[in-house]
Amino acid sequence: MQVRQAKNRLSSSNVPAMILSLTGFMGCGKSSIGKVLQSRLGCRLIDLDDYIEAKAGKKIPDIFKDSGEPAFRKMEADALREIIGRENGNDTVILSLGGGAVMTPECFDLVKKHTKCVYLRATIDTLVATLSGYEAQRPMLKGDEDLRTKVSNLMAKRASTYEAAASYITDIDGISYEDTADDIIKYFSL
Ligand code: S3P
């Protein structure tokens, strides 16, 4: 509570300049926690998926449908390179990544080299509960298997990369977005 009250009084100029990126599986709360951090810290928030959609003029499921995953991954890497190249280091920005971004080696390297990355780690149970009913918006969760199997299989391929990308790992199961944001603020002394 003390941390929250203190931070509400700070302007963005009090926050050390850095790109604070958020990674983690689909449904872990990257966008929502990004918004809480933005409001707590009074700094900018860039959502990589929103940026890609604005640039492409279409929704991510349509990009996958029309052009396929490799084309999406290229757009994702281009967008990330653009955003990171544009930041001048004078300002703090929260960068909410898509759940698969760090799986592309170029994106992993950009995140590692130019950002402080937080891995919002969640159990399969939490992810399945959050993603249930929202599969249609997530092209990576297409397929005939049940949701738990798809999430578990994809997470098995990704978990070690999320961990390797991270400067800080925070477990989000049962924790509110606000408390997770405060935990991140405390860890980085923002
Ligand atoms: C993806 C996650 C999505 C989006 C795209 C691919 C992934 O972002 O970038 O559908 O490969 O995990 P969210 O994690 O914000 O859902």
Side-chain angles (χ1 to χ4, degrees), residues 26 30 49 60 64 72-73 76 98-100 138-140 158:
M26 291 166 271
K30 298 180 290 292
D49 287 344
I60 285 171
F64 271 77
F72 171 75
R73 295 300 171 200
E76 192 173 46
R138 306 289 205 314
M140 293 303 292
R158 292 182 167 186

Side-chain angles (χ1 to χ4, degrees), residues 73-94:
R73 295 300 171 200
K74 184 174 179 311
M75 294 167 86
E76 192 173 46
D78 290 346
L80 186 61
R81 208 182 310 112
E82 251 173 56
I83 292 165
I84 287 178
R86 204 176 59 189
E87 293 306 317
N88 56 18
N90 291 334
D91 207 4
T92 289
V93 62
I94 310 297

